[in-house]
Amino acid sequence: MMNNNAITLEALKALIETTEMPVILLEGRRSIPEEEYEMAVAVAGFLAAKFPKVRFRSGNATGSDEAFSKGIAPVDSSRLQVVAPYRNHRKKARFEGAAYQYPEVLSPDQVEQIVAKTIFASPKCSSLMGQLGKTGQLAAKADYLLRDTMKVVGFSDEFPKATAALFYVNPASPMDGGTGHTIRVCQKEGVPVVFQHEWAQWIS
């Protein structure tokens, strides 16, 4: 599971210290073994305690997103940012005190810019992004991809571009699906990416 864009904990600390409003993106696969779920909870809590000026951003999905968020919330839920694909997404699984946002807050110009970045990272999705604003399964997939790009590139003063990103991936195929797309966006945007075989060592 090669990762040529990785960053050490020491380098992450230096990057945070030189960034005015640092944000660490925390996410990955929906399917995650229990032991590694708890490991994701632990590393998120460790980072939240170690870096009190950092905000942490994730999606609203089960699995990795939920595990990382469960690690942040007990330390300081006000530093947890969640970008959900739509306003009613998993409302019963929300964290009190966290900041939630959605693609609907984007201006038309922002949508155009983020669609361009989505296609730049995943050119095969060009036709899919033409389904935005429509109904049906393809439109829903387009909404999720737009959301995934938003999480990385940022879209407001409160939700700026990510500084670094931790992912829980499938070791055999880390670049598959929405997680793979989000990793590619990070790579295109110069955002350092860390996979579990790397970040797990930070708390070992």
Side-chain angles (χ1 to χ4, degrees):
M1 185 169 51
M2 294 295 294
N3 177 16
N4 296 324
N5 199 34
I7 188 171
T8 64
L9 182 59
E10 292 74 19
L12 177 63
K13 180 177 183 289
L15 183 59
I16 288 169
E17 289 174 347
T18 56
T19 301
E20 184 177 354
M21 297 177 66
V23 174
I24 297 178
L25 183 62
L26 302 167
E27 64 169 270
R29 288 173 56 82
R30 289 182 176 85
S31 177
I32 176 171
E34 180 62 28
E35 181 179 344
E36 298 191 359
Y37 183 102
E38 295 303 327
M39 184 173 65
V41 173
V43 77
F46 164 77
L47 292 172
K50 185 175 180 65
F51 301 120
K53 83 169 193 174
V54 172
R55 286 174 291 176
F56 297 87
R57 185 177 302 154
S58 195
N60 200 40
T62 57
S64 306
D65 289 14
E66 182 180 79
F68 283 128
S69 296
K70 280 186 175 180
I72 302 300
V75 179
D76 186 354
S77 62
S78 70
R79 291 193 282 134
L80 175 60
Q81 300 182 334
V82 182
V83 185
Y86 50 88
R87 190 166 291 275
N88 293 324
H89 184 260
R90 298 189 73 228
K91 289 189 73 172
K92 294 182 179 179
R94 300 197 170 186
F95 295 88
E96 185 175 355
Y100 285 79
Q101 275 297 5
Y102 321 90
E104 66 185 55
V105 305
L106 299 175
S107 69
D109 285 345
Q110 285 179 309
V111 171
E112 185 177 345
Q113 292 166 8
I114 294 175
V115 166
K117 289 178 180 291
T118 301
I119 295 170
F120 183 54
S122 299
K124 292 181 179 179
C125 296
S126 179
S127 60
L128 177 63
M129 296 313 292
Q131 297 295 315
L132 282 173
K134 300 179 181 179
T135 57
Q137 187 175 5
L138 290 179
K141 288 184 178 180
D143 288 339
Y144 274 77
L145 275 183
L146 185 76
R147 184 278 306 266
D148 289 342
T149 306
M150 283 176 68
K151 286 185 292 189
V152 179
V153 304
F155 50 91
S156 69
D157 291 342
E158 184 185 2
F159 284 71
K161 179 180 172 179
T163 307
L166 273 64
F167 289 90
Y168 179 85
V169 299
N170 178 353
S173 52
M175 304 305 290
D176 284 353
T179 298
H181 167 73
T182 310
I183 293 169
R184 287 191 293 274
V185 176
C186 288
Q187 292 170 338
K188 297 293 186 184
E189 293 289 319
V191 176
V193 169
V194 187
F195 295 159
Q196 68 264 26
H197 71 285
E198 297 152 342
W199 53 252
Q201 298 178 28
W202 296 353
I203 56 171
S204 60

